[in-house]
Amino acid sequence: LFSIVYIVCAALVLAIFWSIVHEKTRDIGILRSIGASRRGIIGIFLLYGLVVGVLGALLGLLLGWLIVSNINLIHDGMGDPPIILGIILLAIGVLLAGWSLSRIRQERMLPTALGCMISLPLLLLGGVITWAASNDAGFVMWDPRVYYFSVIPNSVDFMSAFVTMIGAVVFSLLGALIPAIKAADTDPVDALRYE
């Protein structure tokens, strides 16, 4: 399973970095024309890939640990959702939708689109939570009568997490390698003419 995740990680990093190299062709040409070596250009993009991989791995570890350590609270909240949470999400969704629709009159399309894209899921989630709380229709994923445990196991194996993090960083570097080599092979003269 993690092999597929690693391959997807490498492919995403490769696609993003390929786009960055394409957009920064002129800048790469300037660096090469003032004496930057091919190794230096490769180093810049590999360092960038390393930073992306390490930050992604650390944020993934933190988010995973937060979810796993609070899984019982999350599960209890799904089984008996608090109605106030649904009302708050609905209120935020309505306010955000009103704000984004007011941007239409100012012909500001990006805030309108982003506001609608964020407010619609908030409205939907708030509506579902409010409906589930008012009808006692919570969602119980791990029913104790079926799975024979009353508390969901919530321990994190940090050794396995670190191995996974190292794999993610390595595949992030592998994804950045091909665009870095393409950037290093950029001819300074052609890059400076590039528009």
Side-chain angles (χ1 to χ4, degrees):
L1 182 64
F2 282 113
S3 301
I4 296 169
V5 172
Y6 290 151
I7 290 169
V8 169
C9 169
L12 288 173
V13 169
L14 187 140
I16 292 167
F17 276 56
W18 192 272
S19 175
I20 290 171
V21 167
H22 180 72
E23 290 295 320
K24 297 292 183 184
T25 300
R26 187 171 176 88
D27 298 336
I28 294 166
I30 291 170
L31 287 173
R32 293 276 293 129
S33 67
I34 62 173
S37 67
R38 292 180 191 272
R39 285 186 192 164
I41 299 294
I42 290 174
I44 289 171
F45 285 97
L46 287 182
L47 183 62
Y48 191 24
L50 179 69
V51 168
V52 167
V54 168
L55 285 178
L58 290 175
L59 287 173
L61 176 68
L62 177 66
L63 185 62
W65 175 77
L66 283 173
I67 290 173
V68 169
S69 63
N70 295 307
I71 193 71
N72 288 301
L73 291 173
I74 294 168
H75 187 259
D76 292 343
M78 288 170 45
D80 186 22
I83 195 164
I84 190 71
L85 178 63
I87 293 170
I88 289 171
L89 288 175
L90 281 172
I92 293 171
V94 167
L95 288 173
L96 190 58
W99 175 81
S100 62
L101 291 175
S102 72
R103 297 293 165 184
I104 290 177
R105 281 187 251 131
Q106 298 173 354
E107 296 184 6
R108 304 281 308 218
M109 296 312 295
L110 183 61
T112 302
L114 290 176
C116 288
M117 288 172 59
I118 295 169
S119 66
L120 289 176
L122 287 175
L123 290 169
L124 181 65
L125 186 60
V128 168
I129 289 173
T130 304
W131 174 82
S134 62
N135 293 325
D136 291 329
F139 177 70
V140 177
M141 183 177 290
W142 295 289
D143 190 357
R145 296 172 298 188
V146 175
Y147 293 102
Y148 300 113
F149 55 82
S150 58
V151 177
I152 301 167
N154 62 350
S155 62
V156 176
D157 180 14
F158 283 103
M159 195 60 189
S160 296
F162 286 128
V163 168
T164 303
M165 289 172 60
I166 290 169
V169 171
V170 166
F171 275 84
S172 177
L173 282 171
L174 287 175
L177 183 62
I178 293 172
I181 292 171
K182 180 187 181 300
D185 283 343
T186 302
D187 183 35
V189 176
D190 291 338
L192 289 175
R193 280 191 229 146
Y194 180 79
E195 300 223 15

